[in-house]
Amino acid sequence: MADQENDIIEIDDESLEEEVGGTIFLTDDEDNEVEVELLAIIETDDGKKYVVLLPVEDDDNEVIIMEVVEVEDDEALEAYIPVEDEEVLNDVFEIFRAEFEDVIEFED
């Protein structure tokens, strides 16, 4: 799947928590809408938040991890931006895996 653009979603922290398990739409870099399931919200020790997303129509079962950042002009808006740092991706995925090992069957 192509890298995701910065998708801006009007949502606050409480609403974001309520959306876990639901689906949202992201726009890829070719302006195609991609429906994804919001599997989890992960907050790291440094206070950053990440969303773990699963494309609905993708049989690969590979998750997308994006950082959640506030939009400067409107604190009710958040943007999801791709994570480029492989170490951060691995760290967030390991937190996700540890939190959901009893619920999700992970392949090694």
Side-chain angles (χ1 to χ4, degrees):
M1 170 175 290
D3 289 332
Q4 304 296 320
E5 293 180 1
N6 296 352
D7 280 289
I8 299 175
I9 299 181
E10 187 168 357
I11 206 159
D12 57 33
D13 284 343
E14 291 174 15
S15 297
L16 186 59
E17 294 291 339
E18 292 171 6
E19 293 296 323
V20 172
T23 60
I24 57 175
F25 290 88
L26 300 178
T27 305
D28 68 15
D29 54 354
E30 296 173 358
D31 287 332
N32 299 312
E33 281 197 341
V34 179
E35 185 176 13
V36 294
E37 180 180 355
L38 179 57
L39 297 179
I41 303 160
I42 305 295
E43 188 166 346
T44 56
D45 291 338
D46 60 3
K48 292 185 179 182
K49 288 186 184 175
Y50 299 87
V51 289
V52 180
L53 308 164
L54 180 66
V56 172
E57 295 187 18
D58 190 354
D59 294 332
D60 291 340
N61 289 326
E62 291 185 11
V63 296
I64 299 168
I65 296 173
M66 301 184 87
E67 185 176 359
V68 179
V69 295
E70 289 183 6
V71 175
E72 289 181 24
D73 298 339
D74 189 343
E75 59 191 50
L77 294 178
E78 294 181 333
Y80 296 171
I81 57 172
V83 178
E84 304 285 330
D85 186 327
E86 198 70 32
E87 186 176 333
V88 171
L89 284 172
N90 290 333
D91 290 346
V92 172
F93 183 76
E94 286 307 314
I95 294 168
F96 170 69
R97 186 178 183 143
E99 287 185 15
F100 291 90
E101 66 186 350
D102 295 335
V103 180
I104 299 173
E105 184 176 327
F106 293 91
E107 295 178 7
D108 288 328

